[in-house]
Amino acid sequence: MAFFWKRPRASRLAGKKPLSKQNSQIELTIPTHFRCPISLDLMKDPVTLSTGITYDRESIERWIRDGNETCPVTNQVLTNFDQIPNHMLRKMIQHWCVENQAHGVERIPTPRTPITSYDIMEICSKMMDSASKGDGKSCLDLVEKINVWAKESEQNKSLIKDNGLGFVLAATFEAFSGLSFEKHKDLLKEILLLLTWMFPLGVEGRSKLGSTQSLRCMTWLLSIDDLLLKKSCALTLKELVSTDQAHVKALIDIDGLAEVLINLINTPDSLSVKKSSFSVIYHILSTQIGHKKLSSKFLELGVVELSLEDLVEADKGLSETVLGVLDRVLDSREGRERVQKHALAVPLIVKKILRVSSLATDFCISMLWKLNKNSDGGALVEALHVGAFQKLLLMLQVNCGEETKVKATELLKLMNQYKNKLECFDSGHFKYLRKSY
């Protein structure tokens, strides 16, 4: 490993000539014992393992996080994962850097001491105490300190996640959710930003965030014009409703929820917010109570039109969620009428069959089946015109769920009734069916 330093040209004011081309570059070699055995780069924070081999902290932490339990050099099984700072070697490296500053080498700063489980336990205790007293300023200071720790290294992040801090933050959020939202807005925002990279939380943590007062607070926060806050709130709601239906039941009783979620879909330049919002709507409509209470409201607010509009250029993740929402909408007569009136509905549904994922295909077949159940056949004829027959026929030849296969078979039977009415449809395709439809 070597540094290459190009000698700067002399100042014109000094009247000196530039160096000759032969002397314009100097090769500077890093001493072997200053290099990390893993990255082969100059070590910034040398630490020694139980095997006596020294590595750069960042490199060996990444090695251990990847599931390795041996020393990379000796291949010995590590009896423990303790990383002892090699202060002597670090000072030697820093001294070497200072000596070679003229060659363009920057001095390596003294690394921060990594946090320990004790540090996290201490901050948990302080935060719980401050939260019980309603001291929002102290809690905000502690949250900012945790943020600093998390930004220092991935190891710090892992320790924070593994030592119960997620529950303490969730409990603190619940405590201040019962107080003035606007007064503690900054604290509540910072807590949510921290929690988004701590998911999945444990049952206790989710119960705190999923309480009625916490959910009401998040709904209020979503109405604030702050994209970062919307992202963290929407992601938190998605995490809660996807893990426990009890949180869905608590969420649907909050006033103004439908309007907030529809507004989230319209958030510009934020695909993650859009996905999270559709996911929450999907889980709400998937429950009997949620469908009964909010289905009509979502329809009034234009969820069908928004869904179909976003479906045109949607990626895999968004397509699956949007199709799921539309499938749930079709469970009601009002929803079926709304979808049938939209010119893009049937063509888009047919287009997505076998083009996104097996889950998306299941939703598409289910939607076609619901649209044509007890209908006049208009949607079925339209589906035939845009190539649904060939795709459904292929569905019978590939591996798919039994329920989906049954619905595809039933749709083919219904299509057989309309084959003679289609001028542009080649009824000869039916001869390839294994059964008589």
Side-chain angles (χ1 to χ4, degrees), residues 1-183:
M1 181 66 61
F3 284 118
F4 290 92
W5 167 71
K6 190 173 183 179
R7 191 187 299 276
R9 292 186 175 183
S11 171
R12 291 182 180 178
L13 294 175
K16 295 182 179 180
K17 294 181 179 181
L19 294 171
S20 64
K21 187 174 182 180
Q22 289 83 354
N23 295 328
S24 64
Q25 197 174 67
I26 296 175
E27 181 177 338
L28 187 63
T29 303
I30 301 175
T32 304
H33 58 292
F34 287 176
R35 290 185 286 163
C36 174
I38 297 176
S39 66
L40 300 182
D41 290 330
L42 185 68
M43 288 187 282
K44 299 178 181 179
D45 186 7
V47 294
T48 304
L49 298 187
S50 58
T51 56
I53 307 298
T54 299
Y55 303 90
D56 188 60
R57 186 186 295 275
E58 183 179 350
S59 297
I60 194 61
E61 284 181 351
R62 188 183 302 113
W63 171 268
I64 293 172
R65 282 199 307 272
D66 290 342
N68 298 295
E69 298 181 354
T70 58
C71 174
V73 171
T74 66
N75 206 32
Q76 290 177 266
V77 176
L78 297 173
T79 55
N80 60 68
F81 298 105
D82 294 341
Q83 300 162 26
I84 303 172
N86 193 329
H87 298 297
M88 181 63 71
L89 181 58
R90 175 180 54 77
K91 290 178 180 178
M92 290 171 63
I93 293 173
Q94 289 177 325
H95 181 67
W96 179 85
C97 290
V98 171
E99 285 184 337
N100 291 280
Q101 279 183 340
H103 297 167
V105 180
E106 296 183 1
R107 183 184 184 277
I108 294 174
T110 302
R112 293 177 178 270
T113 303
I115 63 173
T116 63
S117 298
Y118 175 79
D119 295 323
I120 297 174
M121 290 173 62
E122 185 179 27
I123 209 167
C124 285
S125 177
K126 289 180 179 179
M127 186 170 292
M128 292 296 285
D129 183 56
S130 297
S132 65
K133 296 176 181 177
D135 188 349
K137 184 180 182 305
S138 295
C139 284
L140 182 57
D141 291 340
L142 293 170
V143 169
E144 290 174 349
K145 186 175 182 179
I146 297 168
N147 254 321
V148 172
W149 283 349
K151 291 176 181 178
E152 287 177 359
S153 69
E154 289 298 320
Q155 179 68 12
N156 283 359
K157 274 190 172 184
S158 297
L159 278 172
I160 290 170
K161 290 177 66 175
D162 298 339
N163 285 273
L165 195 48
F167 166 76
V168 174
L169 288 169
T172 303
F173 185 90
E174 183 189 38
F176 285 95
S177 293
L179 304 176
S180 172
F181 294 163
E182 190 167 354
K183 180 180 178 181

Side-chain angles (χ1 to χ4, degrees), residues 241-257:
V241 300
S242 62
T243 54
D244 193 337
Q245 284 198 354
H247 301 317
V248 180
K249 294 176 182 178
L251 186 63
I252 60 179
D253 290 328
I254 297 174
D255 294 334
L257 174 67

